[in-house]
Amino acid sequence: MRLWEKGIPTDQKVLAFTTGDDPQLDMQLIEYDCRASMAHARMLERVGVLSRSEARAICDVLAEIIDRAREGTFTISLEEEDGHTAIENYLTKRLGDTGKKIHTARSRNDQVVTALRLFYREQLDGIETRLQELIQAFQSFSRQWGTIPLPGYTHTRKAMPTTITIWVGAHQAAMEDNRLWLHTVQTLLDQCPAGTGAGFGIPLKIDREFLARELGFSRIQENPLHVQNSRGKLEGDILHVLSNIQLDLNRLASDLIFFTLPELGYFELPDAFTTGSSIMPHKKNPDVLELIRGYAHRLLGLEQEVRSLTANLISGYHRDLQLTKSAVFQAFSIVGQSLEMATLVVQHLQVNETRCRQALTPELYATEAVYRLVEKGMPFREAYRQVAEQFRKGR
Ligand code: ARG
């Protein structure tokens, strides 16, 4: 039974189309939806809509739903179309009229935004932890190998000498920038949307401050219409952070694929981190790094998908917004896994000091030679030409 059923049959094809992959996706939200519903039930008790025993009974059944969802015995059917409906139906089946009261003072529009924010908060905390672990792996890599010199490249050609500290420090600094972005998005997310209904408030006295406190938000998102307008926009912000992270991982992967190239051999990947070829017995391929690199393109696509979904919509809820869910869920999974894999690679990467030192060939010091002449008083351009001439003759 759908929440909006009024005795008029819905075409089955229409139902299947509008439901889409919501039953599968909403399974990931059940726990958060239930937690938000518990806070909602306690709020309804506070304002006198539910009795104490009714609120308690609702919270108990919601806890049961969380358990069942964890063990895989809670399901969302096509007929129910989404998790919000499945939860209310379950409550009504178990509690009768008491269950029918849970939707007082809410709409699925604010319900879904609330559940999503609780989910995003946890996911972003997980990303932050993984970001921190990668930063730590960079730091220990620098402590272990940092003083070893390395050729620096521009245009994929030798440029000037550098060190492993500088190289790995660049990747660390990029991830620290991403952490700043992440904190900004976490602050934007930290506004409680619950109690704003369909986007125009609730014609009943409710306690939004209480909901915010119960759900661990530091403030309420005041304007009810803005709550709906920020759906999709916030998802775009999340995806921007996630695609930034994946783009930085993409560069790290490209560097590592290049530096572990057997012809260069500056770095070595442990055998357990490589894959083989079905035809060429000697191959040790950096597939892990290639997939991390490749996923950056998927992330850019997902970011674009979400950002453009919100364009041209008038203010308020639109079903288009349902389509943002799968993009964000996919992105969290890809970036979480990629950060984990990148950390493992950095923790196990070996540096071949001999190969690094052998690679410090004379042309890397050409700019250095120019500056020694500049120190002696020669104009820069003249010194530059003089050294260029020496290298030309030397070849
Ligand atoms: N599955 C819907 C979504 O993600 C839930 C909200 C439905 N609201 C509505 N007015 N049809 O957007």
Side-chain angles (χ1 to χ4, degrees):
M1 169 103 173
R2 284 173 296 289
L3 300 181
W4 43 273
E5 256 180 50
K6 295 174 280 287
I8 307 157
T10 307
D11 185 282
Q12 279 303 305
K13 283 198 171 137
V14 168
L15 180 63
F17 184 69
T18 52
T19 301
D21 51 7
D22 248 22
Q24 295 92 284
L25 293 173
D26 279 9
M27 281 310 298
Q28 292 190 62
L29 291 180
I30 289 295
E31 183 162 342
Y32 305 91
D33 209 335
C34 286
R35 281 202 237 146
S37 298
M38 286 174 178
H40 189 71
R42 285 193 285 270
M43 190 278 288
L44 290 178
E45 177 194 340
R46 218 175 140 80
V47 300
V49 171
L50 293 178
S51 69
R52 173 165 253 203
S53 63
E54 284 175 325
R56 192 164 297 165
I58 286 176
C59 288
D60 287 349
V61 176
L62 288 166
E64 184 182 308
I65 296 176
I66 293 178
D67 288 343
R68 296 193 64 159
R70 283 187 187 157
E71 63 189 39
T73 54
F74 186 80
T75 52
I76 304 168
S77 69
L78 169 64
E79 285 305 314
E80 287 171 318
E81 81 178 338
D82 59 32
H84 323 297
T85 308
I87 291 171
E88 184 173 322
N89 284 350
Y90 192 93
L91 283 171
T92 305
K93 203 168 80 199
R94 296 276 277 97
L95 304 172
D97 282 351
T98 302
K100 292 185 195 161
K101 293 183 185 176
I102 188 65
H103 211 58
T104 317
R106 76 176 179 192
S107 151
R108 280 183 301 170
N109 294 357
D110 65 335
Q111 191 179 350
V112 65
V113 175
T114 306
L116 283 169
R117 287 205 190 160
L118 297 179
F119 171 76
Y120 297 155
R121 186 165 68 191
E122 257 181 47
Q123 291 288 317
L124 288 173
D125 286 351
I127 294 288
E128 189 177 6
T129 304
R130 289 192 167 157
L131 208 54
Q132 198 52 43
E133 283 163 2
L134 179 59
I135 288 172
Q136 274 160 12
F138 285 146
Q139 285 166 337
S140 11
F141 191 82
S142 183
R143 272 194 300 276
Q144 190 175 357
W145 312 102
T147 54
I148 299 174
L150 198 65
Y153 288 82
T154 68
H155 308 266
T156 327
R157 275 136 183 88
K158 282 185 183 173
M160 288 172 73
T162 184
T163 61
I164 287 188
T165 298
I166 293 289
W167 172 78
V168 75
H171 289 289
Q172 183 183 325
M175 290 303 165
E176 279 161 359
D177 287 349
N178 291 331
R179 205 168 43 186
L180 285 180
W181 273 109
L182 191 74
H183 288 162
T184 304
V185 171
Q186 283 167 327
T187 309
L188 283 171
L189 192 72
D190 190 18
Q191 310 184 59
C192 186
T196 54
F200 311 98
I202 300 291
L204 185 77
K205 195 165 165 27
I206 59 166
D207 191 342
R208 292 196 58 201
E209 297 287 352
F210 175 83
L211 281 172
R213 274 198 307 279
E214 285 284 295
L215 294 171
F217 289 98
S218 46
R219 60 190 185 286
I220 62 170
Q221 192 168 18
E222 199 71 55
N223 186 311
L225 188 54
H226 179 54
V227 167
Q228 290 309 314
N229 292 352
S230 59
R231 185 163 181 208
K233 188 167 174 233
L234 184 64
E235 277 78 356
D237 292 338
I238 290 173
L239 272 166
H240 187 62
V241 177
L242 295 178
S243 63
N244 269 349
I245 293 174
Q246 198 69 32
L247 273 172
D248 287 329
L249 291 177
N250 163 294
R251 189 191 296 271
L252 174 71
S254 287
D255 275 1
L256 293 180
I257 290 167
F258 182 58
F259 289 163
T260 57
L261 185 74
E263 288 82 343
L264 295 183
Y266 306 153
F267 295 174
E268 285 155 17
L269 275 176
D271 286 355
F273 283 70
T274 61
T275 50
S277 151
S278 61
I279 174 172
M280 299 166 284
H282 66 288
K283 294 282 276 176
K284 284 180 191 168
N285 297 326
D287 297 30
V288 170
L289 297 169
E290 289 166 337
L291 287 169
I292 290 176
R293 183 172 64 182
Y295 273 133
H297 304 280
R298 173 92 47 95
L299 259 290
L300 288 173
L302 293 171
E303 180 184 353
Q304 187 56 45
E305 183 181 334
V306 166
R307 285 199 177 279
S308 55
L309 266 170
T310 58
N312 305 333
L313 304 179
I314 69 157
S315 292
Y317 175 82
H318 307 268
R319 197 66 178 265
D320 312 47
L321 297 168
Q322 178 171 295
L323 299 179
T324 59
K325 270 193 277 196
S326 103
V328 185
F329 291 10
Q330 276 184 69
F332 274 127
S333 158
I334 292 169
V335 176
Q337 287 184 64
S338 300
L339 279 170
E340 199 180 351
M341 292 311 294
T343 303
L344 264 178
V345 168
V346 173
Q347 282 166 344
H348 290 86
L349 199 63
Q350 298 292 308
V351 176
N352 185 327
E353 183 167 357
T354 314
R355 298 290 291 270
C356 290
R357 291 194 184 278
Q358 280 168 353
L360 296 175
T361 43
E363 73 275 31
L364 284 162
Y365 298 93
T367 311
E368 169 92 22
V370 172
Y371 276 90
R372 295 298 72 82
L373 294 175
V374 166
E375 261 175 2
K376 288 184 189 143
M378 190 182 285
F380 172 81
R381 192 52 63 209
E382 203 179 316
Y384 172 97
R385 293 210 171 105
Q386 187 174 312
V387 174
E389 185 66 6
Q390 282 165 15
F391 270 89
R392 201 181 58 79
K393 282 190 191 138
R395 257 200 267 143

